[in-house]
Amino acid sequence: MRKSMVYLAVVVSQVVITVVLSIHAATVIKAARPRQEGVSRVVSALKLTDLCLFTEARYTRHPSMADRNTAFQDYPFSFEHFPSGSLMTVPEIVRKR
Amino acid sequence: MWIDKQKNILDFTLSSLLRRKGKNAALVCVYSVVVFVLASVMFFTHAIKKEAMIILKDAPEVIVQRMVAGRHDLMDLSYADEIRKITGVSSAEGRLWGYYYDPLFKANYTLMVPPEFKYQEGEIAIGQGVSRSAVTEAGNVMPFFGIDGKLTSFRIRELLSSESELVTSDLVLMSEQDFRALFGIPKNRATDLAVTVGNPQEVVTIANKIKKQLPDTRPIIREEIIRTYDTIFDWRSGIMLVIFSGALLAFIIFAWDKASGLSAEERKEIGILKATGWETSDVILMKFWEGAVISLTSFLAGMIFAYVHVFFSSAALFEPVLKGWAVLYPQFRLVPYINAYQVTTLFFLTVVPYTTATIIPAWRAAIVDPDSVMRT
């Protein structure tokens, strides 16, 4: 078999996998809707405000509720105490300055 | 025929690449890893931002906090009466919530009073994360240290659904009486206020009115809550990319050097090809195929692995960074929100620069006299 055909077979198979994954993505997005609606109802019923991603400190657990003007709390490039604080960007108001 | 010509040139290009297979295989591997990391960060952050946007669309319209000395403080419920008087406000209800550090399991929980608690005093509902971290389940008893230092035991009546874990993993829901007794919060105080507005277009105006009438408060509107997650997961920021940027820069220099600088052997090869009758356009075509073979293969491989990593293994490689010092972490599977913009951006950031970089030096070598190229 010619080398070009082997290479084209590899690229075609990669493209096929990509197409299969995009079909998978579309299916999962569709299937996730009822679950997301359910979670949204929980958020509404319990009056929640934040995702439960980083539970180590109050300003990482509820970033939208955190104080905006307390030192060492929500400025990611200050002396950060918790690792997840490094994932957060500078607040918009500070960036605009 | 055009197709046969392309096949022949591709055959020749592949043979040429295979002559330096060690070097090129290493390049493809590093290239794929670079695409994999970039794509993983891109897919992950976009998916989590989108999930936050969908889930939090029903969060309270306005949350009003009371600020004392730069920190939020307990809110007097008389503030709710003041806010209700503002035209356009449908309701203003106190929310009771706070944090509890469990010294036994070294985990932080969010204790909360839901607007409607269906169980009795002394009973609680807990999130899946709390259940995992405290190794407990419905029917068991869970102790909490109160403000007086005494242990109070609560009966677990319900485990919150695993589907809602992304928002409820660390929650402990209890009755108002239990919450106030545990933390010693007086009856006329709440943590903050949740305000409902009749007309969504009036939210900003009402938030401004609240701020004006009650200067010691901070209103947070729903749009700001959602935007917080957009800001947090801005893909260009983040420790992963900061750490990775050094490696990325090293790769760019390596790839640029490899692609744009022709070795003496490659120059000689071009000279021989031209001497044997190859046109300049054929040499450029060969170099185009060389760039395309390496970058397209790496791009597709990197992207496929990134998809599997983020959406099948729940971004297992990022988990330690995301978890940080947290003991309690929700178990969730992200929904693969990928759009054409992301893939196109990735393609133009990776495939196009490399392929272009291989063509220009080849064109320079191909336009000079074959004899002089072979002599150098």
Side-chain angles (χ1 to χ4, degrees), chain B residues 119 122-125 138-142 153-158:
Chain B
Y119 302 112
E123 294 177 338
I124 52 173
N140 289 357
V141 161
M142 204 172 165
S153 293
F154 293 89
R155 172 81 54 193
I156 303 166
R157 287 295 307 274
E158 185 193 340

Side-chain angles (χ1 to χ4, degrees), chain B residues 219-260:
Chain B
I220 304 159
I221 62 171
R222 185 161 55 199
E223 205 181 293
E224 286 175 329
I225 293 173
I226 294 169
R227 213 170 43 221
T228 305
Y229 285 88
D230 251 15
T231 315
I232 289 173
F233 291 107
D234 190 341
W235 79 274
R236 282 176 301 172
S237 68
I239 199 161
M240 283 174 285
L241 285 178
V242 170
I243 293 170
F244 183 64
S245 60
L248 185 69
L249 210 65
F251 169 74
I252 290 169
I253 294 166
F254 169 66
W256 181 263
D257 184 55
K258 170 79 183 61
S260 63

Side-chain angles (χ1 to χ4, degrees), chain B residues 275-335:
Chain B
T276 52
W278 279 48
E279 296 287 327
T280 306
S281 61
D282 297 334
V283 175
I284 291 170
L285 198 61
M286 182 193 87
K287 281 290 164 187
F288 163 78
W289 275 116
E290 195 180 301
V293 163
I294 287 174
S295 55
L296 192 64
T297 316
S298 312
F299 168 75
L300 289 169
M303 216 175 56
I304 291 165
F305 284 124
Y307 187 96
V308 172
H309 167 232
V310 175
F311 303 115
F312 286 104
S313 79
S314 302
L317 292 175
F318 295 164
E319 201 181 289
V321 184
L322 289 171
K323 244 178 162 173
W325 293 5
V327 170
L328 201 149
Y329 188 70
Q331 284 179 356
F332 60 96
R333 187 159 277 190
L334 284 169
V335 178

